[in-house]
Amino acid sequence: MRSPFSLKQEFLKNWILGLQRCRSSKKNMSIFERKKVIKLSADVAVASARKGITCWSRALIADAVKEGNADKHLAEKILGPASERQPTEKVPVGAMAYNKRIRSKKIPKRSSVIRRTIKCAPQAARPSSIVKRLVGKRRQILRSLIPGGEFMNGVSLIEETLDYIILLRAQVDVMRSLASASKPVNLN
């Protein structure tokens, strides 16, 4: 993984480029339009900093330019012409399904084993089942937070989340430094 400093530089370069492309199109923007441009250009810039290597970055860019999106034209303007865009690594569509098929063959069939079930009065839920439910709920929440997370398995979800957090942290640091640099200096 690249250093946080180079990620910040890449994000800042992409963000400024996206803002310049939007500024040149319309001189008098309302505050709402400016807010939308800044947010969208920051999202696209943070995704472009990863050059489409990660699932979340491809999902962010795909969501920005998909048909029916009100900001599609704006996102395409921020991304620039298709000829200037970085090529993204293509992940085979059936890769996850293929991995699941192989893994499912390794699981032994339990139907061939005859087990005696002991019927007993229902007791409180086992601690392991409670933990599994909690982990499952938290995994679903995480999937909803990470762009493209709904299509990831557990391990890749964690890896993509860590990468996404690192880039978001770089984005926050760059925005904070810009905000602090633009504050007026008190000479009292």
Side-chain angles (χ1 to χ4, degrees):
M1 173 164 250
R2 295 170 21 196
S3 72
F5 183 73
S6 66
L7 289 173
K8 289 176 187 178
Q9 282 183 321
E10 186 74 22
F11 164 71
L12 184 59
K13 181 184 86 169
N14 292 338
W15 192 34
I16 290 173
L17 186 63
L19 288 172
Q20 286 173 341
R21 285 181 176 148
C22 287
R23 185 186 65 184
S24 65
S25 68
K26 193 173 181 184
K27 298 292 180 190
N28 297 325
M29 285 192 237
S30 69
I31 291 177
F32 177 72
E33 289 172 323
R34 286 182 192 176
K35 177 186 167 194
K36 191 188 322 184
V37 166
I38 290 169
K39 182 183 180 336
L40 186 62
S41 62
D43 286 347
V44 170
V46 80
S48 299
R50 294 303 290 146
K51 297 182 178 21
I53 294 172
T54 58
C55 290
W56 66 262
S57 63
R58 288 190 303 269
L60 260 178
I61 292 173
D63 283 346
V65 296
K66 74 179 173 185
E67 290 298 322
N69 186 356
D71 300 327
K72 180 181 189 262
H73 177 69
L74 186 60
E76 287 175 343
K77 189 172 282 193
I78 291 169
L79 285 167
S83 60
E84 290 180 15
R85 295 183 199 163
Q86 294 284 339
T88 59
E89 283 184 16
K90 297 287 183 186
V91 176
V93 176
M96 284 178 54
Y98 179 72
N99 288 340
K100 286 183 181 179
R101 256 194 313 252
I102 290 174
R103 195 174 62 175
S104 66
K105 287 181 182 178
K106 292 179 183 177
I107 298 173
K109 292 183 179 178
R110 294 188 182 194
S111 60
S112 62
V113 178
I114 300 172
R115 290 186 167 193
R116 273 186 14 187
T117 57
I118 302 173
K119 303 244 179 188
C120 57
Q123 296 177 353
R126 293 183 184 183
S128 63
S129 65
I130 294 171
V131 169
K132 284 181 184 179
R133 264 196 317 236
L134 287 174
V135 168
K137 285 180 184 177
R138 290 185 178 154
R139 188 180 304 132
Q140 281 305 113
I141 292 170
L142 193 56
R143 280 191 173 123
S144 68
L145 292 174
I146 304 300
E150 58 273 2
F151 304 112
M152 296 180 211
N153 63 15
V155 174
S156 62
L157 181 65
I158 298 296
E159 291 171 353
E160 294 277 332
T161 302
L162 292 173
D163 189 64
Y164 189 55
I165 289 171
I166 289 168
L167 258 300
L168 286 178
R169 183 65 194 181
Q171 182 182 17
V172 167
D173 289 346
V174 167
M175 290 179 163
R176 275 191 183 149
S177 9
L178 281 176
S180 66
S182 66
K183 285 183 183 176
V185 179
N186 288 335
L187 299 174
N188 294 339

